[in-house]
């Protein structure tokens, strides 16, 4: 899907439209995230980015190395990716 965020490395993943949009959202909130003094504040910023993607029916996907199928990593791991 257009708004899916693919987890992993490589040109294909970086150039995926969902990943490009995700990076734009992260960039817009970067200053607020870095200014946050408490972990809970940083978590709220990360949550808002994950929510924005989910609201567009986007998913955070990783590839199963055994089957080659993509699966949704869930909100907790999506927040971790957002907070990197």
């Amino acid at each position: 899907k257009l708004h899916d965020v693919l987890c992993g490395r490589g040109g294909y993943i970086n150039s995926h439209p969902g990943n490009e949009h995700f990076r734009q959202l992260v960039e817009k909130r970067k200053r607020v995230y870095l200014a946050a003094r408490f972990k809970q504040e940083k978590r709220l910023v990360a949550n808002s980015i994950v929510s924005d993607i989910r609201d567009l029916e986007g998913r955070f996907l990783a590839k199963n190395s055994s089957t080659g199928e993509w699966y949704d990593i869930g909100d907790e791991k999506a927040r971790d990716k957002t907070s990197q």
Side-chain angles (χ1 to χ4, degrees):
K1 285 189 193 176
L2 185 64
H3 295 291
D4 288 344
V5 177
L6 308 181
C7 300
R9 298 182 183 275
Y12 167 74
I13 287 175
N14 283 336
S15 63
H16 186 271
N19 288 57
E20 290 178 352
H21 181 244
F22 172 72
R23 283 195 302 275
Q24 289 171 357
L25 290 175
V26 169
E27 192 59 38
K28 278 184 191 172
R29 294 188 177 91
K30 193 175 194 174
R31 194 175 299 145
V32 175
Y33 184 86
L34 293 174
R37 287 192 279 162
F38 302 105
K39 224 176 185 176
Q40 188 176 356
E41 291 174 280
K42 290 183 185 287
R43 189 177 173 94
L44 288 172
V45 176
N47 273 340
S48 72
I49 295 169
V50 172
S51 291
D52 285 355
I53 297 292
R54 297 284 190 203
D55 289 346
L56 295 169
E57 296 183 17
R59 302 167 294 173
F60 287 81
L61 303 175
K63 199 176 221 176
N64 180 313
S65 56
S66 302
T67 66
E69 292 187 25
W70 292 91
Y71 66 94
D72 195 308
I73 63 172
D75 286 351
E76 189 175 340
K77 286 186 179 175
R79 263 194 314 272
D80 292 345
K81 177 177 177 57
T82 305
S83 299
Q84 287 178 342

